[in-house]
Amino acid sequence: MNIADYLSAVEQADTYKRYGKVLRVVGLMIESQGPAANIGEVCYIHSSESRSPILSEVVGFNNEKIILMPYSEVNEIGPGCLVESTGKPLSIKVGRGLIGNVVDSLGEKLDHSSLPKGLTRYLTDQSPPNPMERPPISEPIQVGVKAIDSLLTVGRGQRIGIFAGSGVGKSTLLGMIARNSDADINVIALIGERGREVREFIEKDLGPEGLKRSIVVVATSDQPALMRIKGAYTATAISEYFRDQGYSVNLMMDSVTRVAMAQREIGLATGEPPTTKGYTPSVFATLPKLLERTGTNKNGTITAFYTVLVDGDDMNEPIADTVRGILDGHFVMDRKLAERGQFPAINVLKSISRVMNGITAASHKQIAQEIRSLMAKYEENSELIHIGAYKRGTDQMIDRAISYQPKIQSFLKQDVHEVLSRTESIEQMTALLNGGMN
């Protein structure tokens, strides 16, 4: 043991603690005079009312004054409260012991019990992998949903957007994927969810079997905007940690729209100008950084499913449009199909998996294409068929589409607790065209 090294470290250590003080609070924003801190650093605000310090983060500067946002409510903060910088950005504890637990945006267990031992510190804000170090997506992953495994095959390491209005079955579909997928670990981020729905999702949609190999990160709609943003970052960081260990990870985020809304709140509070539909420029800068962090790297894969809540079922609203341009495919959930009693209500014709052609066998592609052609032909002529204006025998392709339509609809329906492997889904699809399904 070299004592000189220790003595040198003691001599160089800064023995003073430097504090700033709160000047004003406006809405979500806390302005303080000092301390010296960089954007993204975590600070403690010491209040005489609160026993434990209030965590906050530096989000901007104004004439050498620091702009902070708290991770909790600002009720106990008053003028003159001391502000202490930690000198570090937010980090969480992560490891295999976290599997099967429900945590908040700061990585703490939601039931207030202590975290298991043996976890390591990991920064929540990471850079996306270098494009040249990303292996191409080369193999399919089993999702356990017939319509997806057969007609919209997902690759291991692909990033998919699930687009839907409210109440069309996004959460139920995510629960099915979490239970039936052949990934090693699920990381599920519930961002901006109603508090009532969190336990419902964990107990009903996910179930005990799904929770055994999942980590759930929760940031409910009543929490401050910064906590909702950090929920997305924390879930992504947990996924990255397991990917770096060589695991195949499923990341499911519900929903990326609420992440964008939280970023808009922060942007407006720090003085950014509102642009398209009130969204600030930082929203459109943050989304690619967050979504590009998932996918493949040299160690493992993150297959990501991001739900996008489309206002008024408008698929071209700004967030839906931006997310669709970043991801490797999109599944559109159709309210009309849901009203018709089809679950999952995925509109196959409006959905696409951009890597399907590169990871499936030629015979699989051919059958899937044939079924899509039959569905498209029926859709084109549905009005004529329904009003009785089409006479059988006029067009051979339309006749074929009409005869196959009930079989295709029956094939696309799947009970919430029906478990099918990818092979079984493809066999059923093949049997459908060969007359094996009733």
Side-chain angles (χ1 to χ4, degrees), residues 41 56 76 119 133 157 195 201 204 221 227 235 248 275 278 294 322 329 364-365 413 425 427:
E41 277 184 21
S56 60
E76 295 163 341
L119 304 180
E133 291 177 7
F201 175 83
K204 291 182 183 175
S221 57
M227 277 292 263
S248 168
T275 54
T294 55
T322 305
H364 179 175
K365 272 185 283 195
K413 284 182 184 176
S425 298
E427 281 171 0

Side-chain angles (χ1 to χ4, degrees), residues 107-150:
E108 299 295 329
K109 285 177 75 170
L110 216 59
D111 59 5
H112 302 299
S113 60
S114 55
L115 287 167
K117 296 193 185 304
L119 304 180
T120 54
R121 282 268 168 204
Y122 198 78
L123 288 174
T124 59
D125 201 353
Q126 303 278 344
S127 299
N130 184 318
M132 295 306 290
E133 291 177 7
R134 283 188 187 268
I137 297 164
S138 57
E139 60 169 323
I141 186 170
Q142 177 185 299
V143 173
V145 179
K146 268 193 294 188
I148 297 173
D149 280 336
S150 57

Side-chain angles (χ1 to χ4, degrees), residues 195-207:
R196 173 186 65 81
E197 288 185 343
V198 171
R199 196 160 168 185
E200 268 185 29
F201 175 83
I202 292 164
E203 291 179 5
K204 291 182 183 175
D205 295 332
L206 190 58

Side-chain angles (χ1 to χ4, degrees), residues 190-358:
L190 303 177
I191 311 297
E193 280 289 325
R194 303 173 190 89
R196 173 186 65 81
E197 288 185 343
V198 171
R199 196 160 168 185
E200 268 185 29
F201 175 83
I202 292 164
E203 291 179 5
K204 291 182 183 175
D205 295 332
L206 190 58
E209 284 303 309
L211 187 59
K212 267 185 200 171
R213 58 193 192 100
S214 301
I215 299 165
V216 184
V217 180
V218 176
T220 51
S221 57
D222 58 296
Q223 291 182 318
L226 199 60
M227 277 292 263
R228 282 175 271 146
I229 283 275
K230 289 298 164 188
Y233 279 71
T234 295
T236 308
I238 292 169
S239 305
E240 287 169 322
Y241 171 83
F242 284 108
R243 176 179 63 185
D244 291 344
Q245 303 293 314
Y247 290 100
S248 168
V249 185
N250 270 355
L251 170 64
M252 285 166 266
M253 193 177 290
D254 184 16
S255 73
V256 76
T257 309
R258 293 192 179 114
V259 175
M261 287 174 173
Q263 183 60 45
R264 174 172 65 183
E265 281 181 50
I266 292 169
L268 291 170
T270 53
E272 282 188 70
T275 54
T276 321
K277 275 206 173 178
Y279 288 104
T280 55
S282 64
V283 173
F284 302 103
T286 300
L287 284 175
K289 284 180 189 172
L290 177 66
L291 303 181
E292 284 288 350
R293 285 169 62 179
T294 55
T296 59
N297 78 355
K298 57 188 176 184
N299 300 317
T301 60
I302 301 172
T303 309
F305 298 89
Y306 297 100
T307 70
V308 182
L309 188 66
V310 286
D311 293 332
D313 294 336
D314 174 18
M315 296 293 165
N316 298 315
E317 58 103 30
I319 298 304
D321 226 21
T322 305
V323 171
R324 194 165 45 234
I326 298 166
L327 300 179
D328 312 317
H330 53 271
F331 301 159
V332 175
M333 299 191 77
D334 198 326
R335 194 175 296 280
K336 286 179 185 173
L337 295 178
E339 287 165 357
R340 210 184 291 163
Q342 180 179 316
F343 181 82
I346 298 169
N347 188 324
V348 174
L349 294 175
K350 288 184 180 175
S351 306
I352 191 166
S353 167
R354 291 182 185 166
V355 305
M356 181 176 172
N357 286 341

Side-chain angles (χ1 to χ4, degrees), residues 359-373:
I359 58 171
T360 50
S363 56
H364 179 175
K365 272 185 283 195
Q366 188 182 343
I367 294 165
Q369 191 53 53
E370 205 168 330
I371 288 174
R372 286 179 83 105
S373 300

Side-chain angles (χ1 to χ4, degrees), residues 44-108:
Y44 293 122
I45 300 174
H46 298 275
S47 165
S48 56
E49 302 291 322
S50 175
R51 288 182 186 176
S52 54
I54 295 159
L55 275 176
S56 60
E57 187 177 301
V58 180
V59 293
F61 299 95
N62 181 23
N63 293 335
E64 297 184 9
K65 295 183 181 72
I66 290 174
I67 298 170
L68 300 152
M69 275 200 176
Y71 289 126
S72 56
E73 296 302 325
V74 294
N75 301 344
E76 295 163 341
I77 297 171
C81 283
L82 293 179
V83 181
E84 177 192 355
S85 174
T86 61
K88 297 172 187 173
L90 182 68
S91 64
I92 52 162
K93 286 184 176 178
V94 63
R96 282 198 60 83
L98 209 57
I99 299 169
N101 286 301
V102 182
V103 298
D104 64 12
S105 302
L106 306 178
E108 299 295 329

